[in-house]
Amino acid sequence: MGISTSETQARTTEGLTPSAKFVHYVLVNDGDHTQSELAEATGLSPRTIRDAVGALVERDIATEEVCLRDARRRVYSADV
């Protein structure tokens, strides 16, 4: 019997803050977002979003790319 997607997600986010887990959940379910889009989607503060995506990128469970619409911004996506 294989491991379910929710079990895999729980293992990859184990030890993260609740806000980082929430941001990861949003990225997995809604797709790519900029930091401002994540703040709007989650209701979390910009600083909390920065900390959360930093932790996700550090753990290699999210990626950061330059936003093609605005090179000053970054787009984040979950590595599933």
PDB file of all heavy atoms in Angstrom, residues 36-75:
ATOM      1  N   SER A  36       2.741  39.144  -2.441  1.00  0.00           N
ATOM      2  CA  SER A  36       1.540  39.944  -2.189  1.00  0.00           C
ATOM      3  C   SER A  36       0.276  39.133  -2.442  1.00  0.00           C
ATOM      4  O   SER A  36      -0.718  39.284  -1.717  1.00  0.00           O
ATOM      5  CB  SER A  36       1.544  41.226  -3.020  1.00  0.00           C
ATOM      6  OG  SER A  36       1.624  40.936  -4.392  1.00  0.00           O
ATOM      7  N   GLU A  37       0.282  38.276  -3.441  1.00  0.00           N
ATOM      8  CA  GLU A  37      -0.870  37.406  -3.693  1.00  0.00           C
ATOM      9  C   GLU A  37      -1.069  36.410  -2.548  1.00  0.00           C
ATOM     10  O   GLU A  37      -2.196  36.121  -2.150  1.00  0.00           O
ATOM     11  CB  GLU A  37      -0.704  36.658  -5.016  1.00  0.00           C
ATOM     12  CG  GLU A  37      -0.781  37.542  -6.234  1.00  0.00           C
ATOM     13  CD  GLU A  37      -0.359  36.859  -7.513  1.00  0.00           C
ATOM     14  OE1 GLU A  37       0.307  35.798  -7.458  1.00  0.00           O
ATOM     15  OE2 GLU A  37      -0.689  37.394  -8.588  1.00  0.00           O
ATOM     16  N   LEU A  38       0.049  35.898  -2.009  1.00  0.00           N
ATOM     17  CA  LEU A  38      -0.045  34.991  -0.864  1.00  0.00           C
ATOM     18  C   LEU A  38      -0.609  35.712   0.357  1.00  0.00           C
ATOM     19  O   LEU A  38      -1.425  35.150   1.091  1.00  0.00           O
ATOM     20  CB  LEU A  38       1.322  34.391  -0.529  1.00  0.00           C
ATOM     21  CG  LEU A  38       1.794  33.266  -1.435  1.00  0.00           C
ATOM     22  CD1 LEU A  38       3.267  32.959  -1.191  1.00  0.00           C
ATOM     23  CD2 LEU A  38       0.947  32.021  -1.221  1.00  0.00           C
ATOM     24  N   ALA A  39      -0.172  36.944   0.577  1.00  0.00           N
ATOM     25  CA  ALA A  39      -0.680  37.716   1.714  1.00  0.00           C
ATOM     26  C   ALA A  39      -2.184  37.934   1.578  1.00  0.00           C
ATOM     27  O   ALA A  39      -2.936  37.799   2.553  1.00  0.00           O
ATOM     28  CB  ALA A  39       0.050  39.055   1.823  1.00  0.00           C
ATOM     29  N   GLU A  40      -2.637  38.222   0.369  1.00  0.00           N
ATOM     30  CA  GLU A  40      -4.061  38.424   0.134  1.00  0.00           C
ATOM     31  C   GLU A  40      -4.848  37.122   0.289  1.00  0.00           C
ATOM     32  O   GLU A  40      -5.912  37.101   0.896  1.00  0.00           O
ATOM     33  CB  GLU A  40      -4.274  38.989  -1.268  1.00  0.00           C
ATOM     34  CG  GLU A  40      -5.707  39.373  -1.561  1.00  0.00           C
ATOM     35  CD  GLU A  40      -5.850  40.014  -2.926  1.00  0.00           C
ATOM     36  OE1 GLU A  40      -4.987  40.822  -3.301  1.00  0.00           O
ATOM     37  OE2 GLU A  40      -6.841  39.687  -3.599  1.00  0.00           O
ATOM     38  N   ALA A  41      -4.294  36.029  -0.229  1.00  0.00           N
ATOM     39  CA  ALA A  41      -4.993  34.742  -0.180  1.00  0.00           C
ATOM     40  C   ALA A  41      -5.070  34.162   1.228  1.00  0.00           C
ATOM     41  O   ALA A  41      -6.035  33.478   1.571  1.00  0.00           O
ATOM     42  CB  ALA A  41      -4.306  33.736  -1.108  1.00  0.00           C
ATOM     43  N   THR A  42      -4.050  34.438   2.052  1.00  0.00           N
ATOM     44  CA  THR A  42      -3.987  33.831   3.375  1.00  0.00           C
ATOM     45  C   THR A  42      -4.419  34.754   4.502  1.00  0.00           C
ATOM     46  O   THR A  42      -4.760  34.289   5.585  1.00  0.00           O
ATOM     47  CB  THR A  42      -2.554  33.353   3.691  1.00  0.00           C
ATOM     48  OG1 THR A  42      -1.683  34.491   3.693  1.00  0.00           O
ATOM     49  CG2 THR A  42      -2.075  32.310   2.698  1.00  0.00           C
ATOM     50  N   GLY A  43      -4.329  36.059   4.279  1.00  0.00           N
ATOM     51  CA  GLY A  43      -4.615  37.007   5.347  1.00  0.00           C
ATOM     52  C   GLY A  43      -3.446  37.186   6.303  1.00  0.00           C
ATOM     53  O   GLY A  43      -3.571  37.842   7.338  1.00  0.00           O
ATOM     54  N   LEU A  44      -2.284  36.613   5.953  1.00  0.00           N
ATOM     55  CA  LEU A  44      -1.087  36.744   6.784  1.00  0.00           C
ATOM     56  C   LEU A  44      -0.343  38.019   6.423  1.00  0.00           C
ATOM     57  O   LEU A  44      -0.460  38.542   5.315  1.00  0.00           O
ATOM     58  CB  LEU A  44      -0.176  35.531   6.579  1.00  0.00           C
ATOM     59  CG  LEU A  44      -0.756  34.174   6.970  1.00  0.00           C
ATOM     60  CD1 LEU A  44       0.176  33.048   6.523  1.00  0.00           C
ATOM     61  CD2 LEU A  44      -0.994  34.093   8.462  1.00  0.00           C
ATOM     62  N   SER A  45       0.467  38.512   7.357  1.00  0.00           N
ATOM     63  CA  SER A  45       1.227  39.738   7.120  1.00  0.00           C
ATOM     64  C   SER A  45       2.357  39.477   6.120  1.00  0.00           C
ATOM     65  O   SER A  45       2.833  38.340   5.988  1.00  0.00           O
ATOM     66  CB  SER A  45       1.825  40.253   8.431  1.00  0.00           C
ATOM     67  OG  SER A  45       2.882  39.408   8.846  1.00  0.00           O
ATOM     68  N   PRO A  46       2.805  40.517   5.428  1.00  0.00           N
ATOM     69  CA  PRO A  46       3.912  40.352   4.478  1.00  0.00           C
ATOM     70  C   PRO A  46       5.178  39.766   5.121  1.00  0.00           C
ATOM     71  O   PRO A  46       5.856  38.941   4.519  1.00  0.00           O
ATOM     72  CB  PRO A  46       4.162  41.776   3.969  1.00  0.00           C
ATOM     73  CG  PRO A  46       2.831  42.440   4.108  1.00  0.00           C
ATOM     74  CD  PRO A  46       2.240  41.862   5.372  1.00  0.00           C
ATOM     75  N   ARG A  47       5.467  40.174   6.343  1.00  0.00           N
ATOM     76  CA  ARG A  47       6.648  39.635   7.020  1.00  0.00           C
ATOM     77  C   ARG A  47       6.498  38.138   7.286  1.00  0.00           C
ATOM     78  O   ARG A  47       7.443  37.365   7.115  1.00  0.00           O
ATOM     79  CB  ARG A  47       6.880  40.375   8.332  1.00  0.00           C
ATOM     80  CG  ARG A  47       8.109  39.886   9.050  1.00  0.00           C
ATOM     81  CD  ARG A  47       8.395  40.670  10.289  1.00  0.00           C
ATOM     82  NE  ARG A  47       9.590  40.157  10.921  1.00  0.00           N
ATOM     83  CZ  ARG A  47      10.226  40.774  11.876  1.00  0.00           C
ATOM     84  NH1 ARG A  47       9.778  41.933  12.307  1.00  0.00           N
ATOM     85  NH2 ARG A  47      11.293  40.251  12.411  1.00  0.00           N
ATOM     86  N   THR A  48       5.310  37.719   7.696  1.00  0.00           N
ATOM     87  CA  THR A  48       5.053  36.299   7.938  1.00  0.00           C
ATOM     88  C   THR A  48       5.174  35.517   6.639  1.00  0.00           C
ATOM     89  O   THR A  48       5.733  34.412   6.624  1.00  0.00           O
ATOM     90  CB  THR A  48       3.662  36.100   8.563  1.00  0.00           C
ATOM     91  OG1 THR A  48       3.601  36.840   9.791  1.00  0.00           O
ATOM     92  CG2 THR A  48       3.366  34.645   8.836  1.00  0.00           C
ATOM     93  N   ILE A  49       4.683  36.087   5.549  1.00  0.00           N
ATOM     94  CA  ILE A  49       4.800  35.439   4.237  1.00  0.00           C
ATOM     95  C   ILE A  49       6.268  35.290   3.849  1.00  0.00           C
ATOM     96  O   ILE A  49       6.690  34.217   3.405  1.00  0.00           O
ATOM     97  CB  ILE A  49       4.033  36.230   3.148  1.00  0.00           C
ATOM     98  CG1 ILE A  49       2.528  36.230   3.434  1.00  0.00           C
ATOM     99  CG2 ILE A  49       4.326  35.680   1.759  1.00  0.00           C
ATOM    100  CD1 ILE A  49       1.864  34.875   3.353  1.00  0.00           C
ATOM    101  N   ARG A  50       7.068  36.342   4.031  1.00  0.00           N
ATOM    102  CA  ARG A  50       8.501  36.268   3.709  1.00  0.00           C
ATOM    103  C   ARG A  50       9.183  35.165   4.498  1.00  0.00           C
ATOM    104  O   ARG A  50       9.976  34.386   3.949  1.00  0.00           O
ATOM    105  CB  ARG A  50       9.191  37.606   3.991  1.00  0.00           C
ATOM    106  CG  ARG A  50       9.005  38.634   2.919  1.00  0.00           C
ATOM    107  CD  ARG A  50       9.957  39.822   3.100  1.00  0.00           C
ATOM    108  NE  ARG A  50       9.863  40.448   4.416  1.00  0.00           N
ATOM    109  CZ  ARG A  50       8.978  41.390   4.735  1.00  0.00           C
ATOM    110  NH1 ARG A  50       8.110  41.815   3.839  1.00  0.00           N
ATOM    111  NH2 ARG A  50       8.973  41.915   5.942  1.00  0.00           N
ATOM    112  N   ASP A  51       8.895  35.089   5.796  1.00  0.00           N
ATOM    113  CA  ASP A  51       9.494  34.047   6.632  1.00  0.00           C
ATOM    114  C   ASP A  51       9.048  32.662   6.184  1.00  0.00           C
ATOM    115  O   ASP A  51       9.850  31.721   6.118  1.00  0.00           O
ATOM    116  CB  ASP A  51       9.120  34.249   8.101  1.00  0.00           C
ATOM    117  CG  ASP A  51       9.772  35.479   8.715  1.00  0.00           C
ATOM    118  OD1 ASP A  51      10.741  36.005   8.126  1.00  0.00           O
ATOM    119  OD2 ASP A  51       9.304  35.915   9.780  1.00  0.00           O
ATOM    120  N   ALA A  52       7.767  32.526   5.865  1.00  0.00           N
ATOM    121  CA  ALA A  52       7.214  31.230   5.467  1.00  0.00           C
ATOM    122  C   ALA A  52       7.809  30.753   4.144  1.00  0.00           C
ATOM    123  O   ALA A  52       8.263  29.603   4.044  1.00  0.00           O
ATOM    124  CB  ALA A  52       5.691  31.308   5.364  1.00  0.00           C
ATOM    125  N   VAL A  53       7.828  31.618   3.134  1.00  0.00           N
ATOM    126  CA  VAL A  53       8.376  31.180   1.846  1.00  0.00           C
ATOM    127  C   VAL A  53       9.880  30.946   1.948  1.00  0.00           C
ATOM    128  O   VAL A  53      10.418  30.055   1.283  1.00  0.00           O
ATOM    129  CB  VAL A  53       8.023  32.137   0.680  1.00  0.00           C
ATOM    130  CG1 VAL A  53       6.543  32.145   0.413  1.00  0.00           C
ATOM    131  CG2 VAL A  53       8.563  33.516   0.899  1.00  0.00           C
ATOM    132  N   GLY A  54      10.546  31.692   2.801  1.00  0.00           N
ATOM    133  CA  GLY A  54      11.973  31.450   3.029  1.00  0.00           C
ATOM    134  C   GLY A  54      12.222  30.062   3.579  1.00  0.00           C
ATOM    135  O   GLY A  54      13.134  29.350   3.134  1.00  0.00           O
ATOM    136  N   ALA A  55      11.399  29.651   4.530  1.00  0.00           N
ATOM    137  CA  ALA A  55      11.535  28.314   5.112  1.00  0.00           C
ATOM    138  C   ALA A  55      11.203  27.232   4.086  1.00  0.00           C
ATOM    139  O   ALA A  55      11.876  26.198   4.030  1.00  0.00           O
ATOM    140  CB  ALA A  55      10.618  28.179   6.327  1.00  0.00           C
ATOM    141  N   LEU A  56      10.195  27.477   3.262  1.00  0.00           N
ATOM    142  CA  LEU A  56       9.804  26.494   2.241  1.00  0.00           C
ATOM    143  C   LEU A  56      10.887  26.340   1.173  1.00  0.00           C
ATOM    144  O   LEU A  56      11.215  25.227   0.770  1.00  0.00           O
ATOM    145  CB  LEU A  56       8.480  26.900   1.594  1.00  0.00           C
ATOM    146  CG  LEU A  56       7.255  26.904   2.504  1.00  0.00           C
ATOM    147  CD1 LEU A  56       6.053  27.482   1.767  1.00  0.00           C
ATOM    148  CD2 LEU A  56       6.943  25.510   3.021  1.00  0.00           C
ATOM    149  N   VAL A  57      11.453  27.456   0.740  1.00  0.00           N
ATOM    150  CA  VAL A  57      12.515  27.410  -0.268  1.00  0.00           C
ATOM    151  C   VAL A  57      13.765  26.751   0.319  1.00  0.00           C
ATOM    152  O   VAL A  57      14.425  25.948  -0.342  1.00  0.00           O
ATOM    153  CB  VAL A  57      12.822  28.833  -0.807  1.00  0.00           C
ATOM    154  CG1 VAL A  57      14.079  28.853  -1.651  1.00  0.00           C
ATOM    155  CG2 VAL A  57      11.632  29.354  -1.599  1.00  0.00           C
ATOM    156  N   GLU A  58      14.075  27.069   1.570  1.00  0.00           N
ATOM    157  CA  GLU A  58      15.242  26.480   2.232  1.00  0.00           C
ATOM    158  C   GLU A  58      15.138  24.958   2.310  1.00  0.00           C
ATOM    159  O   GLU A  58      16.127  24.249   2.172  1.00  0.00           O
ATOM    160  CB  GLU A  58      15.378  27.072   3.640  1.00  0.00           C
ATOM    161  CG  GLU A  58      16.612  26.616   4.381  1.00  0.00           C
ATOM    162  CD  GLU A  58      16.714  27.300   5.729  1.00  0.00           C
ATOM    163  OE1 GLU A  58      16.839  28.544   5.747  1.00  0.00           O
ATOM    164  OE2 GLU A  58      16.656  26.601   6.744  1.00  0.00           O
ATOM    165  N   ARG A  59      13.936  24.456   2.505  1.00  0.00           N
ATOM    166  CA  ARG A  59      13.702  23.014   2.591  1.00  0.00           C
ATOM    167  C   ARG A  59      13.505  22.356   1.230  1.00  0.00           C
ATOM    168  O   ARG A  59      13.258  21.170   1.138  1.00  0.00           O
ATOM    169  CB  ARG A  59      12.465  22.737   3.423  1.00  0.00           C
ATOM    170  CG  ARG A  59      12.703  22.858   4.887  1.00  0.00           C
ATOM    171  CD  ARG A  59      11.676  22.023   5.559  1.00  0.00           C
ATOM    172  NE  ARG A  59      11.924  21.982   6.975  1.00  0.00           N
ATOM    173  CZ  ARG A  59      11.229  21.252   7.790  1.00  0.00           C
ATOM    174  NH1 ARG A  59      10.236  20.538   7.330  1.00  0.00           N
ATOM    175  NH2 ARG A  59      11.503  21.237   9.061  1.00  0.00           N
ATOM    176  N   ASP A  60      13.564  23.138   0.182  1.00  0.00           N
ATOM    177  CA  ASP A  60      13.370  22.645  -1.188  1.00  0.00           C
ATOM    178  C   ASP A  60      11.992  22.042  -1.415  1.00  0.00           C
ATOM    179  O   ASP A  60      11.845  21.090  -2.184  1.00  0.00           O
ATOM    180  CB  ASP A  60      14.453  21.624  -1.572  1.00  0.00           C
ATOM    181  CG  ASP A  60      15.822  22.256  -1.698  1.00  0.00           C
ATOM    182  OD1 ASP A  60      15.898  23.415  -2.121  1.00  0.00           O
ATOM    183  OD2 ASP A  60      16.810  21.579  -1.364  1.00  0.00           O
ATOM    184  N   ILE A  61      10.973  22.605  -0.758  1.00  0.00           N
ATOM    185  CA  ILE A  61       9.607  22.156  -1.028  1.00  0.00           C
ATOM    186  C   ILE A  61       8.814  23.253  -1.736  1.00  0.00           C
ATOM    187  O   ILE A  61       7.628  23.108  -1.990  1.00  0.00           O
ATOM    188  CB  ILE A  61       8.875  21.656   0.240  1.00  0.00           C
ATOM    189  CG1 ILE A  61       8.860  22.700   1.343  1.00  0.00           C
ATOM    190  CG2 ILE A  61       9.491  20.370   0.726  1.00  0.00           C
ATOM    191  CD1 ILE A  61       8.073  22.290   2.575  1.00  0.00           C
ATOM    192  N   ALA A  62       9.517  24.339  -2.070  1.00  0.00           N
ATOM    193  CA  ALA A  62       8.943  25.402  -2.891  1.00  0.00           C
ATOM    194  C   ALA A  62      10.089  26.023  -3.681  1.00  0.00           C
ATOM    195  O   ALA A  62      11.248  25.948  -3.276  1.00  0.00           O
ATOM    196  CB  ALA A  62       8.254  26.451  -2.042  1.00  0.00           C
ATOM    197  N   THR A  63       9.728  26.614  -4.808  1.00  0.00           N
ATOM    198  CA  THR A  63      10.741  27.277  -5.625  1.00  0.00           C
ATOM    199  C   THR A  63      10.411  28.755  -5.754  1.00  0.00           C
ATOM    200  O   THR A  63       9.261  29.161  -5.642  1.00  0.00           O
ATOM    201  CB  THR A  63      10.823  26.659  -7.031  1.00  0.00           C
ATOM    202  OG1 THR A  63       9.539  26.722  -7.642  1.00  0.00           O
ATOM    203  CG2 THR A  63      11.315  25.232  -6.980  1.00  0.00           C
ATOM    204  N   GLU A  64      11.461  29.528  -5.999  1.00  0.00           N
ATOM    205  CA  GLU A  64      11.341  30.971  -6.165  1.00  0.00           C
ATOM    206  C   GLU A  64      11.869  31.319  -7.547  1.00  0.00           C
ATOM    207  O   GLU A  64      12.974  30.924  -7.907  1.00  0.00           O
ATOM    208  CB  GLU A  64      12.159  31.673  -5.091  1.00  0.00           C
ATOM    209  CG  GLU A  64      12.206  33.159  -5.215  1.00  0.00           C
ATOM    210  CD  GLU A  64      13.107  33.777  -4.161  1.00  0.00           C
ATOM    211  OE1 GLU A  64      14.293  33.395  -4.090  1.00  0.00           O
ATOM    212  OE2 GLU A  64      12.617  34.642  -3.433  1.00  0.00           O
ATOM    213  N   GLU A  65      11.058  32.025  -8.330  1.00  0.00           N
ATOM    214  CA  GLU A  65      11.463  32.447  -9.666  1.00  0.00           C
ATOM    215  C   GLU A  65      11.145  33.923  -9.849  1.00  0.00           C
ATOM    216  O   GLU A  65      10.293  34.468  -9.163  1.00  0.00           O
ATOM    217  CB  GLU A  65      10.727  31.637 -10.723  1.00  0.00           C
ATOM    218  CG  GLU A  65      11.021  30.151 -10.660  1.00  0.00           C
ATOM    219  CD  GLU A  65      10.197  29.352 -11.651  1.00  0.00           C
ATOM    220  OE1 GLU A  65       9.504  29.962 -12.492  1.00  0.00           O
ATOM    221  OE2 GLU A  65      10.246  28.128 -11.574  1.00  0.00           O
ATOM    222  N   VAL A  66      11.804  34.548 -10.799  1.00  0.00           N
ATOM    223  CA  VAL A  66      11.529  35.947 -11.117  1.00  0.00           C
ATOM    224  C   VAL A  66      10.168  36.016 -11.786  1.00  0.00           C
ATOM    225  O   VAL A  66       9.836  35.220 -12.663  1.00  0.00           O
ATOM    226  CB  VAL A  66      12.618  36.517 -12.044  1.00  0.00           C
ATOM    227  CG1 VAL A  66      12.262  37.920 -12.505  1.00  0.00           C
ATOM    228  CG2 VAL A  66      13.961  36.502 -11.361  1.00  0.00           C
ATOM    229  N   CYS A  67       9.371  36.987 -11.364  1.00  0.00           N
ATOM    230  CA  CYS A  67       8.047  37.203 -11.944  1.00  0.00           C
ATOM    231  C   CYS A  67       8.218  37.845 -13.324  1.00  0.00           C
ATOM    232  O   CYS A  67       8.888  38.871 -13.455  1.00  0.00           O
ATOM    233  CB  CYS A  67       7.221  38.110 -11.030  1.00  0.00           C
ATOM    234  SG  CYS A  67       5.573  38.473 -11.649  1.00  0.00           S
ATOM    235  N   LEU A  68       7.638  37.252 -14.341  1.00  0.00           N
ATOM    236  CA  LEU A  68       7.779  37.781 -15.695  1.00  0.00           C
ATOM    237  C   LEU A  68       7.018  39.090 -15.893  1.00  0.00           C
ATOM    238  O   LEU A  68       7.383  39.904 -16.730  1.00  0.00           O
ATOM    239  CB  LEU A  68       7.322  36.744 -16.716  1.00  0.00           C
ATOM    240  CG  LEU A  68       8.138  35.454 -16.730  1.00  0.00           C
ATOM    241  CD1 LEU A  68       7.551  34.470 -17.728  1.00  0.00           C
ATOM    242  CD2 LEU A  68       9.592  35.734 -17.040  1.00  0.00           C
ATOM    243  N   ARG A  69       5.967  39.315 -15.104  1.00  0.00           N
ATOM    244  CA  ARG A  69       5.195  40.554 -15.200  1.00  0.00           C
ATOM    245  C   ARG A  69       5.928  41.727 -14.576  1.00  0.00           C
ATOM    246  O   ARG A  69       5.753  42.867 -15.001  1.00  0.00           O
ATOM    247  CB  ARG A  69       3.836  40.395 -14.507  1.00  0.00           C
ATOM    248  CG  ARG A  69       2.916  39.420 -15.191  1.00  0.00           C
ATOM    249  CD  ARG A  69       1.682  39.231 -14.371  1.00  0.00           C
ATOM    250  NE  ARG A  69       2.104  38.527 -13.148  1.00  0.00           N
ATOM    251  CZ  ARG A  69       1.306  38.172 -12.174  1.00  0.00           C
ATOM    252  NH1 ARG A  69       0.030  38.457 -12.223  1.00  0.00           N
ATOM    253  NH2 ARG A  69       1.753  37.520 -11.133  1.00  0.00           N
ATOM    254  N   ASP A  70       6.729  41.449 -13.526  1.00  0.00           N
ATOM    255  CA  ASP A  70       7.433  42.499 -12.798  1.00  0.00           C
ATOM    256  C   ASP A  70       8.709  41.902 -12.213  1.00  0.00           C
ATOM    257  O   ASP A  70       8.657  41.154 -11.234  1.00  0.00           O
ATOM    258  CB  ASP A  70       6.534  43.053 -11.687  1.00  0.00           C
ATOM    259  CG  ASP A  70       7.159  44.220 -10.944  1.00  0.00           C
ATOM    260  OD1 ASP A  70       8.354  44.511 -11.152  1.00  0.00           O
ATOM    261  OD2 ASP A  70       6.440  44.844 -10.145  1.00  0.00           O
ATOM    262  N   ALA A  71       9.846  42.214 -12.798  1.00  0.00           N
ATOM    263  CA  ALA A  71      11.118  41.593 -12.406  1.00  0.00           C
ATOM    264  C   ALA A  71      11.532  41.906 -10.974  1.00  0.00           C
ATOM    265  O   ALA A  71      12.411  41.249 -10.431  1.00  0.00           O
ATOM    266  CB  ALA A  71      12.228  42.023 -13.363  1.00  0.00           C
ATOM    267  N   ARG A  72      10.890  42.889 -10.339  1.00  0.00           N
ATOM    268  CA  ARG A  72      11.203  43.194  -8.939  1.00  0.00           C
ATOM    269  C   ARG A  72      10.579  42.177  -7.995  1.00  0.00           C
ATOM    270  O   ARG A  72      10.939  42.102  -6.831  1.00  0.00           O
ATOM    271  CB  ARG A  72      10.701  44.586  -8.570  1.00  0.00           C
ATOM    272  CG  ARG A  72      11.374  45.700  -9.352  1.00  0.00           C
ATOM    273  CD  ARG A  72      10.695  47.001  -9.103  1.00  0.00           C
ATOM    274  NE  ARG A  72       9.327  46.915  -9.645  1.00  0.00           N
ATOM    275  CZ  ARG A  72       8.415  47.873  -9.545  1.00  0.00           C
ATOM    276  NH1 ARG A  72       8.711  48.987  -8.921  1.00  0.00           N
ATOM    277  NH2 ARG A  72       7.220  47.723 -10.060  1.00  0.00           N
ATOM    278  N   ARG A  73       9.613  41.425  -8.472  1.00  0.00           N
ATOM    279  CA  ARG A  73       8.895  40.464  -7.638  1.00  0.00           C
ATOM    280  C   ARG A  73       9.345  39.046  -7.924  1.00  0.00           C
ATOM    281  O   ARG A  73       9.939  38.759  -8.943  1.00  0.00           O
ATOM    282  CB  ARG A  73       7.397  40.567  -7.895  1.00  0.00           C
ATOM    283  CG  ARG A  73       6.845  41.901  -7.502  1.00  0.00           C
ATOM    284  CD  ARG A  73       5.380  41.956  -7.754  1.00  0.00           C
ATOM    285  NE  ARG A  73       4.907  43.299  -7.450  1.00  0.00           N
ATOM    286  CZ  ARG A  73       3.706  43.554  -7.026  1.00  0.00           C
ATOM    287  NH1 ARG A  73       2.833  42.587  -6.881  1.00  0.00           N
ATOM    288  NH2 ARG A  73       3.349  44.783  -6.768  1.00  0.00           N
ATOM    289  N   ARG A  74       9.011  38.160  -7.016  1.00  0.00           N
ATOM    290  CA  ARG A  74       9.299  36.740  -7.156  1.00  0.00           C
ATOM    291  C   ARG A  74       7.987  35.965  -7.150  1.00  0.00           C
ATOM    292  O   ARG A  74       7.021  36.362  -6.496  1.00  0.00           O
ATOM    293  CB  ARG A  74      10.180  36.241  -6.009  1.00  0.00           C
ATOM    294  CG  ARG A  74      11.504  36.966  -5.879  1.00  0.00           C
ATOM    295  CD  ARG A  74      12.417  36.610  -7.049  1.00  0.00           C
ATOM    296  NE  ARG A  74      13.700  37.272  -6.964  1.00  0.00           N
ATOM    297  CZ  ARG A  74      14.036  38.334  -7.676  1.00  0.00           C
ATOM    298  NH1 ARG A  74      13.198  38.878  -8.504  1.00  0.00           N
ATOM    299  NH2 ARG A  74      15.236  38.867  -7.572  1.00  0.00           N
ATOM    300  N   VAL A  75       7.977  34.848  -7.861  1.00  0.00           N
ATOM    301  CA  VAL A  75       6.825  33.960  -7.886  1.00  0.00           C
ATOM    302  C   VAL A  75       7.236  32.675  -7.186  1.00  0.00           C
ATOM    303  O   VAL A  75       8.322  32.145  -7.431  1.00  0.00           O
ATOM    304  CB  VAL A  75       6.383  33.644  -9.339  1.00  0.00           C
ATOM    305  CG1 VAL A  75       5.274  32.618  -9.362  1.00  0.00           C
ATOM    306  CG2 VAL A  75       5.957  34.915 -10.037  1.00  0.00           C
TER     307      VAL A  75
END
